[in-house]
Amino acid sequence: MDKDVHMPAAMAGQLDSGIGAERLRHEQEQARYNELHLLAPFGYFVVGIDGRILQANLAGARMLGIVRAGTERCHFRDFVRRAWRPGFDAFFEAALNSRTPQRHRLEMTCVDGGLPAPVKLLASADGSAQACRIVVEPVEPQDQLAALERSEERFRRIVHCAGEGIWEIDAFGFITFVNPKMAALLGCDIEDLIEQPLVRFMDEEGRARFEAHDVRRPHAQGERVELKFVRRDGAELWTSAATTPLFDAAGHYLGALALVSDITRQRASAERIWHQANYDELTGLPNRHMFRDRLRQEMHKADRGAGFAALLFIDLDHFKEVNDRLGHAVGDALLAEAARRVKGCVRASDTLARLGGDEFTVILAGLDRVASVDRIAQAIIDALAHPFDLQGESASVSASVGIALYPADARGLPELLSYADQAMYAAKNAGCNRYSYFTPDLQEAALARQAIARELRQALAEGQFEILYQPIVSLRSNSVHKAEALLRWRHPQRGLLAPAQFIPFAESSGLIVEIGDWVFREAARQAQRWQRSIAPGFQVSVNKSPVQFRRDAALYQGWVEALRELALPPRSLVMEISESTLLDGAERVVERLGNYQALGLQVALDHFGTGHASLAHLKRYAIDFVKIDSSLAALAESDNSELALVGAIVAMAHKLGLEVVAEGVETPAQRMLLKEAGCDYAQGFIFGKPMTALELETLAANRMGGAA
């Protein structure tokens, strides 16, 4: 029974005096019957033998203008028009003393303007000899009233007995109806929910989910969604809601109806299963499954040029002896404390995982030099070397740490794991309590990296680096007015090396800044020559790695002077940056690109369309050119959707005042499609492979002479 409904005093006294179970059952049945009428569209009242209103449903209370919580202060007869009261008294007495429902017609003063209105009464004794139920409805034809009674009674029973909650909202999101089950799910009374915004019973996450699946969208269709509510007691309520938008005949949105199931337990169970599948129960760290997934992600980021990744494989020395001596409970406590100590040595962005037993791994991502790995590895070793005070017992262990670098040491996940494990055993075999880098012959890898760094310094000093150029062709004129500078290392013993074979070592050693400075100055000199021999505005693009982008600020003044000495307009040089560079701290990127812009240099965003950069980045950052990734050019030839994507990128870039260069163009068909899509420039093997400066100058002259 609703909490606002009061039990008659006589009835309460009978129960208190010990009236039997049969009477109690009768009262329970009456309460259930009364609840069925709570939301009925007509007035429903329980009136005591003294004429006091013991109960009123929502419609009845509104009809008489009374408050449901204080109905016992009101007499039903007072609302009957004076001239009709004798007839009402006879009708009421007959209803109390008859086993069949009694019908009567009279006029009552209702809240609608206070004017008397004709109504029909249907009254029947409630079986307790203490009250009767009275249904009040406006006068209507008898057949229509009977049909309406049957229909509404059927509806009320279905809604009340439904095992699922039901809510309905209007076009503004306010609740117009809930059934008792829905009110119970929220821990509220029905009247507390009516005319309230549905989102009032949601937290921020719930509101976001509701807006994401908003059934108010034009042409919305029914769907089943998961919505989150907050119960009155503060507990979370997760529901699966089958929502149906409601429209009138003209297609105007009226509201929505939902059939709701409580899935809080199922969802909690699913989350527990997911957590158990991905996290270690003892330490709360990611387990082997999640670790491998995180490692794949960091390797993928490194492939996009976001620094390099280091994998640390940690094994606790002498743990088995401690576990055997002090027992598994103490051993588990030691592992939990070891996890806490290691976590304190790494960054929040790094991943610490427990593979099982006393083996832990750490993924250090986005690094730009090996010295950072050395510092963290040593900090872990020092932290684990301190004695452990566990349940009154003291224990000491140490750690052997193996390190493998990606992509320098391995290109695949299994190899990287194997190499880090081998390096860990190398540290253990060397006496424990130390770290070791992977190398086929113990410390050979670290020595090899040092040797390559020395060779790179020698290459700079002896002029072993050279630049090849790939032409960038105008799709409108077929002429060459741009070129991309591509660095190569002519190694004395290994021959001509591509950037992937030495740039990671240059970045880890810090030499990338000096090499980048050499490339910039050499490209500037070549641009000056081509502006004289090919075209006055000829531009040369220079690639900038993320590491170089972060660390070449000190060279700006030297670049300005170099350009001034050459009498070369700064816009003759285009700095090409990768999409991953934009993810490296927004403020830092804005500042660095602002510096380039202040110098007069132009900026191109390389490999656009395959990574995380969006068109919003083009508007936010100081970008002059967009270079569409070569994969899109290839797919556009065979996939209309990819061609549409290219067209959309070109259109948006042009609206932002940017020019577009397509990379990796290899066939005449690709060139034609890109031209029709509005692309400004293209580069690829169809125009020419990377070539010497003299070869490019000859090619440019031929194309200007009319050769395609």
Side-chain angles (χ1 to χ4, degrees), residues 1 30-38 44 46 55 133:
M1 182 180 296
Q30 289 298 98
R32 178 176 176 83
Y33 183 87
N34 296 337
E35 280 190 356
L36 284 171
H37 291 80
L38 179 63
Y44 174 79
V46 178
Q55 282 186 333
R133 298 185 292 268

Side-chain angles (χ1 to χ4, degrees), residues 71 95 182 193 241 406 428 482 549 554-555 566 617 671 704:
T71 58
M182 189 67 220
L193 301 173
Y406 181 89
K428 193 176 288 288
K482 302 178 189 295
F549 183 80
L555 301 175
L566 294 171
H617 288 99
R671 178 178 61 180
M704 291 180 67

Side-chain angles (χ1 to χ4, degrees), residues 42-43 45 58-65 109-112 119 136-138:
F42 48 76
F45 303 88
L58 295 173
R62 286 196 298 267
M63 179 184 296
L64 302 185
T109 301
C110 300
V111 77
D112 295 333
V119 296
V136 181
E137 291 185 342

